[in-house]
Amino acid sequence: MRPGNRLVRAAAGLCGTGLHAASRLPGWTRGHVLAHVAHSVDAYVWLLRLAHTGREPGPRADSAALAAAIERDAALPADRLADRLRESLDRFEEQARTLPAHAWDRLVPAPAGWRHPVYYLLLRCLRELETHHHDLDVGHGTERWPEGYVSWALDDTLTTLRARGFPIASVEAVDLGRRWSVAAEGPSVAGAGHQVLGWSGAPRPPC
């Protein structure tokens, strides 16, 4: 089952009490996590449309408006929130399928201001789905992350930590037979790839 379908199915299966229970993210319920994912996917759709036409497809929500929208949608019933998420994912898939081949290398702005090629949105969306399915705390542990995703996400995450001067010398994913040098000094970390990835990305505040 595709990551998006798995997450929608998990969302639809939550009762009212389960939806409003605490997630793995401090201060956020499961409803907040699902609402955040839906709005993040909406942002990716906005960027795909920008890449397609070269023009901004309407105003982009600022942080205050986004926080208010997440609070609003987090209070929706589970079936409506699952539908909301499915609609966002369907729009993302439709926009990706219709994007011309020459547009995939165009640079688009991330919320933090840095720019990346459009094709990176596919990877960002995958990470959004896998990471936040884990954050729901409904049994989708890091051991369920696909090996290909774990390998890519470790490359991406550790490259970022290296650029930020994170004080750890090396990281080893023993099951993948891979090792990364991060800094000149510091401790070393080793373990199964999914465990190392879960450690390197946590704790994470709501974003």
Side-chain angles (χ1 to χ4, degrees), residues 126 130 142-155 173 175-178 180 193-194 197:
L126 175 61
E130 291 290 359
T142 61
E143 74 281 356
R144 291 177 176 259
W145 286 343
E147 183 176 302
Y149 164 72
V150 170
S151 186
W152 166 78
L154 281 171
D155 278 332
D175 56 328
L176 303 179
R178 300 193 60 191
W180 295 260
H194 68 89
L197 179 58

Side-chain angles (χ1 to χ4, degrees), residues 7-21 29-32 34-35 38 72-87 136 138:
L7 186 58
V8 168
R9 184 175 179 178
L14 292 170
C15 63
T17 302
L19 184 65
H20 301 302
T29 66
R30 290 167 175 161
H32 285 98
L34 292 167
R72 180 196 67 222
D73 289 352
L76 291 172
D79 58 343
R80 289 182 59 192
L81 189 49
D83 287 343
R84 170 73 175 81
L85 177 58
R86 183 183 295 107
E87 290 166 1
L136 279 185
V138 291

